[in-house]
Structures are given as structure tokens and as C-alpha cells.
Amino acid sequence: MMLPTMHQQRGIVFQLVSTEIQPRTLETKLSNPVELEFLKQFKVGAESSTYKVEFEIDSDFGFPGAITVTNKYDKEIFLEGFSIDGVVDIVCNSWVQPEKIHPEDRVFFSNKAYLPCYTPAGLKELRKEELRLLRGNGKGVRKRCERVYDYDVYNDLGNPDKGRENMRPILGTTEYPSPRRCRTGRPPSITDKKCESCVNPSGETYVPRDEVFEGMRKKALDVEKLKGTTRNLIPFIRTCITKCGDFKQLSDVQQIYKRKHIHKMKPENVASTRWSLLMNMSRIRNNVEEHFKFNTPRIINGASGWCMKDEELGRQALAGINPLSIKRLEAFPPLSDLDPSIYGPQKSALKEEHIISHLDGMSVQKAIAEKKLFILDYHDVYIPFLNGMNVQEDRKAYATRTILFLTPLGTLKPIAIELSLPEGESSKQVLTPPMDATSHWLWQIAKAHVCSNDAGVHQLVHHWLRTHACMEPFIIATHRQLSVMHPIFKLLKPHLKHTLQINGLAREALINEGGIIESFFSPGKYSTQIISAAYKDWRFDMEALPADLIRRGVAEPDPTQPHGLRLLIEDYPYANDGLLMWFALENFVRTYVNYYYRDGKMVESDNELQAWYSEVINVGHADHANASWWWTLSTPSDLTSILTTFIWVVSVQHAAVNFGQYPLGGYVPMRSPHMKKLLPREGNPEYKEFMDDPEGYLLSCLPNLFETTKFLSVVNILSQHSPDEEYIGQRKDLSEWAGEPEIVEAFYKFSMDVKRVEKEIEKRNKDSKRRNRCGAGIPPYDLLIASSDPGVTCRGVPNSITI
């Protein structure tokens, strides 16, 4: 039991609740209340304490099924749990508010799982009442001490009270569809009553009380924030002094990172010369400066000088922080899905003569037929917004398409890059692998624009939208509609943690007006519109890994393969490792579901389960409520698919796109979040600047020193694992499945499967035939290795969307 400082010593009142009811009155059987004045025994400075209480019960009381708690102190207390030796365990891990704030008794149920139809008579009403309290009434301003889960649209991203430029679209409307978020109920802004006012500078965004970061996790996050601030201090001063801060040469960029070898001071004798004293002072200064620098990210190993090798661009599409965009090219030239009546004709400028010499003697048609051509296509994502994006200060972007050829070695090689602007066909240009010095540098700039496009789509679509935002309604609905006694709640519980807090912080500082994403990434203030546009094409059923791979054309059904799926790129680390994790997870979930649901009738008759899924669709994803692609929920197989997909996204897929952000994306010359200049064109004043100093021109396209260190500080924090992290295949408390040895055994088998996957991944990383994850200067693909140490490790799959 953990508690803060108390002022009045009153007590906590406990009462046991039986699983049975009184036969005459039909009321729940209760023990006599017991009051604990634990402050008399509390040790100052102790983080937690254990207490013993004795209950008096009638001989016919029956089996304890719950306990009620009333907090008569003035401050909240944290209850870890109760144990009645040999009888029942009750896990709480929850804050209990003072009675004067929340007069309702808190109820905590035993660890025994019950489907609604099997709920003991003595617990039925308490089960319903607890869910009612968690849903709230949808009114009023939510307070920090509350634990209400409710929905709202994204009407809190702008700040209209600051001015028209600070307004942002409301996401979750007909024009701008979006998943729903956790409701906070803050008052409307003064200027626009449809928008929620911003968080008070001294306050914080509401999330239910038990979702708030506490203890070790909060301390670790605060430490990293402080490190980020100190690392930005020197770059900020330098930028202020120079009035610019642009990188002039490669060595300027390299100064951001720690050196691999630092000179250590050796003890000097008394007769040290003045020169040695000066040398030691210099070393002290260098060591102090070194302390504030960033660790060298893994991605630098893929650089040649500082430019990205062609093969590295292709490798990162398969084993980088965004392995979700690569698609098979099925038509040439590639086609646009944009409405020509709105955006005009979008004919591609790519022609056969651009790529024919790079196909190992094949025709374009044969290369497509043999499934050798792939594409990174960001054309339709950016074209609708480019005119607005490119009038922003220090922002210049193209909508890019990159054609890649699958080589006999199993690697992807970029063979053409199309750079498009919205003005029509004349504004499109195509670059191919270089033939001379000038085309070499133009090709490098084009690749930098591709990587910048990729960085924006990774952060806005694959990371924020597909994992954080689209899974939030599932989390809210789980707390609102599934009792903590429900076996599906118990399965999902570790996969729900921390996400609402992280998403709340993101709305404060990440995706909001003037936030981190708008400040760092090319889309700027158009970020919210790009998120909404991408959501129109989002499908939950396509978030399942096998379905996603087939949809992108990088895999085909094949009954002769171990999992019934054949990858068209055999060495595709994300897919190779992901499929191992997917099927291990699916097998566990199937075993779990089949244990509790013998047939479809049990699934269909489970009122809590049906309400949960209905609310996810009709409220949480209301803008897709009428879509035909939602799975029905009629059979154990349906439920297995839904649960596996949700757990996959919040654990494995999120890990794949999040925890490599610094190690695999922390070198701005190779992966810039935005570009400041377009390609130089002959006849323009910038062309002479480019010809005189092509490296300097390319560096001037990138964020400056202060922008870079701010960006690195953020992605470094996002890539961290907390010291108290719980990884997939781990559970801190298996007592949740008390009395269910079959389930405990199934979980242990799943844990062993995850460990076997780890060993297989480590084996693959040493296989020289797998050139996308093994070789000189090639970082291993560790992102889907489940376990990890704390900090930035480029590995580790937490159970939930977390940092």
C-alpha cells in the first residue's frame, strides 16, 4: 500500500463481498466493515507497507468475490492488492480517492475470471455499477482524480485564441474523419466554441487517474527531458550568435555526436610543464563538451562520407524505422488515385527509358511480371498539400515516387526518382542513378527529399495514426464495456497501459499547433490534414500482418510455406521476424479464446463483448462505422482475429516503428525531417551556388544546428525503454488467471515461443546471405527482439504503446 503524506488520521474502511446473495432479501452478502488506521503503523519514507486486517463473517458467508474500500483520509492512497491466504487474491494497483471527493465505495474484484453469464449472483450488480462509473455521464470538465473513460473528437489541436494562423481543423468530422480520443471536457476556446481550450500552462491533459505515469517511469522520462534541454543549450547559443546556425561542412554535423574514443587524462608528476597543464585543461573542456553530445546512431554506418548509399535507401525500406511503405509495382508508369476534377491530371513523368538500362536486361513488362519492381510512392500523400507546405518558412518539399529493383542478391536498388510539384506535368522531373559529378549531387539531393517524404509519412501515418490514434478507441472501449472480471479484459490489460497518457501528452506537444511534428517535419501546419486523409484509407482488418503484406503486394498466399505465405522479397527483416511473432501471438490468443468460448453462440450472447466491439466501431471509429470491411463478431475465430490484430499493433508493430527512431533515424543528413530547398535548376541563382559547393548546398537544405539537436532530443526520448518496462511474453502477475492452469500453461508456452523467436532473430543477424541485416557497416535488425535493457537499445517489444 503506497500513500502520500496525510494530515488527518482517520482510516480506510474495508468490507468483503460474497459471491452469494441472501436467499430471502436477494441482497449481496457482506462482512462486517473493518477500519484500518494504518498511519499509526506507517513508516515515514517507506514506498509501500503491508498491513493485516481481520474480518468477521457469518458461517454461511460463502466465497469472497470482491472487497469494497472507502478512503476516509484527505488524500488519495494507492492500493496494490489484498491476499486472503489460501482463499483468494485481489489485485488492485489503483488510486483510491478520498470519500469527500468520490463518495462511492471503490470495489475490487477477485482475480477469478467470469464471462457475464457466469457472474456469481453476489457480484452481478457490482459488476454493472463499476462499468457505469467508468463510463461517466459525458458531461463536465474531467478532473485529475477521476477515472472516467469517454470519447471526443480532436478539437484540441489548434489554438484559435492566438489567431487565425493558429487554428487547426477539427478531426472527427465529415470533412476531416478521424478516430476519437479520450474526452477531457475542457471549456471551449473564446474565439471558436467548437474548439476545446488549451491546457493551462500549470496543468496537464486529463487522462483517467490510473493511466498517469508514476514512479520509476516518470522519473526516467523527466531525466531524459532534462538531458535534452542541456544538449540544446550550446547549439542554441551558437545559433543566436551566428544568426544562422546552418551546417557549412560535414564535420559540423559530426560535432553533434560523441567520438568513439575519448582521451583519458593520465596522472601527471609534480614537475608537469605548463604545456601539459594546458593540455589537461583542454581535455577537461573536451570531456565536458563530450558529455553533452549525442550517442552515435547506428544509421551512420550506412553512410558513404555523409551521403546515403543507394543500397542503403533500399535496405531501410525493408529494415529501417519505416518498413511499412514499400509496395510492389503492379503498373508502369505508376497511377494516381487522386480525383482529377480536384487536383487535375496526375500523369506520371516516369518512362521506360528512365529505368530500362537498370533491369538486368529485362523489359519493364517482364520485370513487373517477375515481381522485381517495387515502389515508395508518396505522390498522393503530399500533392494535395504541397502548395501550402512550400510557402511555409524554410520548407520545400516534393511529392516523390521511387522505383526500386530487386537485385539477384535480394537487395533493393533505387533506379529512378520522380519529383512532383502540383503545377502539372511540366513541374515533374525524373532523376536516375548518376553518370557524372553533377548528376551525382543532384541524385543525392533527390534521395534526401525521398527520405524526408518517408520521415513525414512514417511519423504521421504509420506511427501516430495507425498505432497511437487508431488503437485509442479500443483502449477506451475496453475500460468502458468489459468488466475487469471479463477474461478478455484480463488478456488485454497489459496491452492497454500508458497509451492514453502518451496520447494526451502528444496532443499537448507533439501533434498540436506549433508542436514537435509541425516544427520539425515538412508538412508543418498541414500535418493534421494529412493524418485525416490517411485515415480515410485505414482498415482495421488490414492491420493484421499477413493481410498488410498481401495488400502491399510483397507477399502471396502459398500453402507450401510454413505459415501459408510467401514473401516476394525473401530477405525482408521486418516481415521475416514479424511473421514469427504474429503466428506465436495468434496461437496463444486462439488457445485463450477457445478456452472461454466453445462456440459462436457463446460469443454472440456475451453482452459485454458485443457492446465493446460495437462501441469501437460505432463510437470510437464512427467515421468508418458503415464500412463493410469490419470483421463480424460471431465466432471464436472472429474474436481471435480481432484480438490478435489489436495486440499486434500496440506491441510488435509499434515497436517496429518507434524504438529505432534515434538509432536508425538520428542522423539528419541521411534522414532529414524536412528540407529547405528544392533541386537547383539551371538558370536560377541557386544553381551557381550548387555548382561551386554541392556539399554545402546540400547541407543548406537540411535543418540547422539548433533544429537538429532539438529533433534529436525528441526522437531520443521517444526511443527510450523505461526501467520498469514489461515486454511481450512477460507478465508481472499471473495471479490474474488464478484457478486457470490451462491458461497459465498456454502463456508459458507463448513466452517460450517469444524466446525462441529472439534466438532465431539473433541467428538471422549473423547470416551473411541476409544482406539487408548482415554485412560490413550493416546494422543487425533487432527491433522485434522482445526483451531489452532500459534506455535506447534499438530492440525490445513492450506489451503496449509506450515509451
Side-chain angles (χ1 to χ4, degrees):
M1 185 180 294
M2 296 170 57
L3 67 161
T5 303
M6 306 290 185
H7 297 296
Q8 290 181 291
Q9 297 186 12
R10 297 180 183 177
I12 302 176
V13 179
F14 304 109
Q15 200 165 14
L16 281 180
V17 180
S18 173
T19 57
E20 301 176 6
I21 57 175
Q22 299 285 358
R24 294 183 180 178
T25 64
L26 302 183
E27 294 179 349
T28 300
K29 294 181 180 180
L30 301 172
S31 72
N32 290 331
V34 175
E35 184 168 336
L36 172 66
E37 295 184 17
F38 61 84
L39 287 187
K40 293 179 179 179
Q41 310 169 46
F42 182 68
K43 297 178 181 179
V44 177
E47 290 190 0
S48 64
S49 299
T50 302
Y51 302 91
K52 182 178 181 180
V53 294
E54 294 183 356
F55 295 94
E56 291 185 4
I57 58 175
D58 295 333
S59 59
D60 63 348
F61 179 79
F63 197 82
I67 190 168
T68 63
V69 182
T70 305
N71 177 12
K72 294 185 176 292
Y73 288 107
D74 290 332
K75 300 285 186 178
E76 63 181 4
I77 60 171
F78 187 83
L79 290 180
E80 293 181 351
F82 301 87
S83 180
I84 303 176
D85 291 341
V87 180
V88 67
D89 289 318
I90 300 175
V91 174
C92 304
N93 290 326
S94 180
W95 291 96
V96 179
Q97 301 303 317
E99 183 182 34
K100 65 180 182 180
I101 296 177
H102 287 286
E104 302 93 349
D105 290 344
R106 280 296 304 275
V107 59
F108 296 99
F109 296 99
S110 72
N111 292 352
K112 174 69 175 173
Y114 294 104
L115 290 172
C117 61
Y118 296 140
T119 306
L123 304 180
K124 282 185 176 180
E125 290 305 314
L126 285 176
R127 180 171 184 154
K128 293 177 182 178
E129 178 64 12
E130 176 70 0
L131 286 174
R132 186 190 68 79
L133 292 173
L134 289 170
R135 293 178 196 132
N137 59 11
K139 300 177 182 178
V141 179
R142 297 268 70 90
K143 300 174 184 176
R144 186 180 187 274
C145 60
E146 296 179 325
R147 56 192 190 100
V148 172
Y149 296 80
D150 202 358
Y151 301 91
D152 207 343
V153 296
Y154 282 81
N155 61 350
D156 60 341
L157 301 181
N159 189 356
D161 292 343
K162 284 177 62 178
R164 189 173 183 82
E165 277 295 306
N166 304 98
M167 298 177 69
R168 295 295 179 267
I170 296 174
L171 303 187
T173 63
T174 303
E175 185 178 3
Y176 297 106
S178 168
R180 301 305 190 256
R181 63 169 174 94
C182 184
R183 180 182 178 275
T184 66
R186 291 197 303 269
S189 67
I190 297 171
T191 308
D192 186 345
K193 298 301 181 183
K194 293 181 180 179
C195 294
E196 194 170 86
S197 57
C198 293
V199 181
N200 187 302
S202 61
E204 54 188 24
T205 295
Y206 165 81
V207 293
R209 181 66 184 93
D210 289 339
E211 304 287 343
V212 177
F213 286 171
E214 300 286 351
M216 195 180 298
R217 183 173 296 270
K218 185 177 186 302
K219 290 177 182 177
L221 183 59
D222 290 343
V223 167
E224 292 305 319
K225 286 180 179 178
L226 180 60
K227 283 183 183 178
T229 302
T230 56
R231 283 168 169 166
N232 287 322
L233 185 59
I234 295 175
F236 174 71
I237 294 172
R238 287 178 179 172
T239 302
C240 290
I241 293 173
T242 62
K243 307 296 183 183
C244 176
D246 285 346
F247 298 115
K248 302 300 182 184
Q249 53 193 2
L250 176 60
S251 59
D252 295 340
V253 183
Q254 294 171 334
Q255 287 298 315
I256 295 173
Y257 303 100
K258 292 180 179 178
R259 291 169 290 173
K260 292 184 178 180
H261 304 288
I262 303 174
H263 295 293
K264 295 182 179 179
M265 290 187 298
K266 298 178 180 179
E268 301 283 347
N269 57 39
V270 179
S272 295
T273 62
R274 183 171 179 269
W275 174 252
S276 64
L277 179 61
L278 291 174
M279 287 294 293
N280 281 342
M281 291 177 65
S282 175
R283 288 175 182 174
I284 292 173
R285 185 195 67 189
N286 290 338
N287 287 339
V288 169
E289 288 183 357
E290 202 72 20
H291 177 74
F292 290 103
K293 292 182 178 181
F294 293 88
N295 292 326
T296 303
R298 290 187 182 187
I299 194 177
I300 289 182
N301 292 333
S304 175
W306 71 271
C307 297
M308 179 186 287
K309 302 173 187 175
D310 288 357
E311 294 81 0
E312 179 65 8
L313 189 150
R315 193 194 68 80
Q316 286 191 24
L318 304 173
I321 58 172
N322 178 19
L324 304 178
S325 286
I326 189 71
K327 299 178 182 179
R328 181 162 56 87
L329 183 66
E330 299 183 18
F332 188 87
L335 304 174
S336 170
D337 291 327
L338 295 176
D339 187 343
S341 67
I342 299 175
Y343 302 105
Q346 295 295 323
K347 185 178 179 182
S348 173
L350 285 159
K351 301 184 185 303
E352 286 198 16
E353 54 261 34
H354 290 129
I355 66 172
I356 191 67
S357 62
H358 302 285
L359 302 181
D360 287 358
M362 286 185 281
S363 67
V364 174
Q365 291 72 25
K366 184 176 181 182
I368 290 176
E370 295 194 4
K371 300 166 186 176
K372 299 294 185 182
L373 291 177
F374 294 82
I375 186 170
L376 292 172
D377 191 347
Y378 300 124
H379 179 277
D380 290 4
V381 176
Y382 286 102
I383 278 289
F385 310 102
L386 273 184
N387 280 332
M389 287 167 54
N390 285 344
V391 298
Q392 298 176 115
E393 184 179 0
D394 283 339
R395 292 289 192 279
K396 288 290 183 279
Y398 295 101
T400 67
R401 286 187 177 115
T402 306
I403 308 296
L404 301 104
F405 178 69
L406 182 61
T407 72
L409 295 177
T411 58
L412 289 178
K413 180 178 69 173
I415 58 175
I417 297 173
E418 181 186 54
L419 305 174
S420 298
L421 294 171
E423 287 75 16
E425 191 171 352
S426 61
S427 66
K428 300 177 186 291
Q429 53 186 313
V430 176
L431 289 89
T432 56
M435 302 293 291
D436 55 30
T438 301
S439 60
H440 165 82
W441 284 104
L442 292 173
W443 179 247
Q444 298 304 327
I445 297 171
K447 286 193 293 184
H449 275 282
V450 170
C451 292
S452 181
N453 268 196
D454 186 81
V457 170
H458 161 260
Q459 200 65 261
L460 295 173
V461 180
H462 300 315
H463 185 200
W464 168 255
L465 174 66
R466 291 176 62 182
T467 63
H468 288 261
C470 285
M471 295 303 105
E472 183 163 344
F474 286 84
I475 295 168
I476 297 171
T478 302
H479 286 284
R480 286 168 53 89
Q481 299 297 343
L482 296 181
S483 166
V484 295
M485 289 191 286
H486 199 292
I488 301 305
F489 183 93
K490 291 180 180 294
L491 172 69
L492 296 181
K493 185 177 178 181
H495 306 292
L496 312 175
K497 294 168 61 177
H498 310 305
T499 306
L500 295 186
Q501 170 80 93
I502 291 170
N503 287 5
L505 294 172
R507 299 200 308 276
E508 279 186 45
L510 190 74
I511 64 168
N512 61 310
E513 172 271 324
I516 290 165
I517 284 182
E518 286 197 3
S519 300
F520 294 153
F521 292 89
S522 293
K525 68 178 183 179
Y526 296 93
S527 297
T528 51
Q529 296 178 51
I530 288 177
I531 291 170
S532 178
Y535 180 66
K536 293 176 183 178
D537 296 324
W538 176 83
R539 291 179 52 163
F540 180 63
D541 62 329
M542 290 292 125
E543 292 301 301
L545 178 62
D548 175 55
L549 296 173
I550 292 170
R551 173 178 60 170
R552 291 191 281 123
V554 295
E556 295 177 334
D558 185 344
T560 67
Q561 296 297 307
H563 301 299
L565 205 65
R566 183 171 67 89
L567 292 175
L568 300 180
I569 305 172
E570 292 184 11
D571 183 19
Y572 184 176
Y574 162 76
N576 297 135
D577 300 352
L579 287 171
L580 295 179
M581 293 291 284
W582 169 271
F583 288 106
L585 175 61
E586 185 182 52
N587 287 338
F588 168 61
V589 174
R590 182 183 296 109
T591 300
Y592 190 95
V593 167
N594 290 342
Y595 178 82
Y596 289 101
Y597 297 92
R598 294 186 299 273
D599 52 41
K601 289 182 179 179
M602 292 188 69
V603 173
E604 291 179 330
S605 63
D606 187 334
N607 61 303
E608 286 185 8
L609 186 69
Q610 294 294 332
W612 167 74
Y613 192 51
S614 175
E615 185 170 285
V616 167
I617 296 171
N618 295 299
V619 183
H621 286 282
D623 298 326
H624 280 312
N626 297 320
S628 60
W629 44 256
W630 288 101
W631 278 298
T632 57
L633 183 49
S634 303
T635 67
S637 178
D638 296 335
L639 182 55
T640 297
S641 296
I642 293 164
L643 297 175
T644 303
T645 301
F646 170 74
I647 296 172
W648 161 264
V649 174
V650 300
S651 58
V652 189
Q653 185 162 306
H654 179 259
V657 298
N658 182 74
F659 293 106
Q661 288 192 79
Y662 182 81
L664 303 181
Y667 189 52
V668 165
M670 289 181 62
R671 190 174 177 83
S672 179
H674 68 262
M675 298 287 284
K676 294 183 176 181
K677 294 179 180 180
L678 298 175
L679 222 60
R681 304 292 290 265
E682 284 192 66
N684 292 345
E686 288 182 335
Y687 195 75
K688 184 179 186 307
E689 176 191 344
F690 163 73
M691 293 296 288
D692 290 344
D693 182 9
E695 180 179 300
Y697 182 88
L698 211 167
L699 286 168
S700 71
C701 296
L702 307 179
N704 65 28
L705 173 63
F706 184 46
E707 292 170 332
T708 296
T709 56
K710 283 200 300 181
F711 171 71
L712 295 181
S713 296
V714 171
V715 295
N716 187 68
I717 291 173
L718 296 177
S719 303
Q720 298 273 341
H721 287 299
S722 173
D724 66 346
E725 196 57 82
E726 185 179 86
Y727 299 96
I728 195 163
Q730 298 177 357
R731 284 204 177 216
K732 293 178 180 176
D733 191 357
L734 288 177
S735 67
E736 289 277 356
W737 294 319
E740 312 284 4
E742 296 91 340
I743 296 299
V744 174
E745 182 182 348
F747 183 76
Y748 277 133
K749 181 182 181 302
F750 173 58
S751 298
M752 295 305 296
D753 287 343
V754 169
K755 290 177 181 177
R756 279 192 286 270
V757 171
E758 283 197 25
K759 292 180 180 178
E760 176 61 25
I761 292 174
E762 291 170 351
K763 179 181 174 183
R764 290 173 174 181
N765 285 336
K766 298 174 183 177
D767 184 352
S768 59
K769 294 179 181 178
R770 298 176 182 267
R771 291 176 173 83
N772 292 315
R773 65 196 306 162
C774 180
I778 303 296
Y781 189 73
D782 292 336
L783 283 171
L784 301 193
I785 291 178
S787 63
S788 175
D789 292 329
V792 179
T793 63
C794 204
R795 61 179 282 170
V797 181
N799 274 319
S800 60
I801 297 172
T802 183
I803 56 173

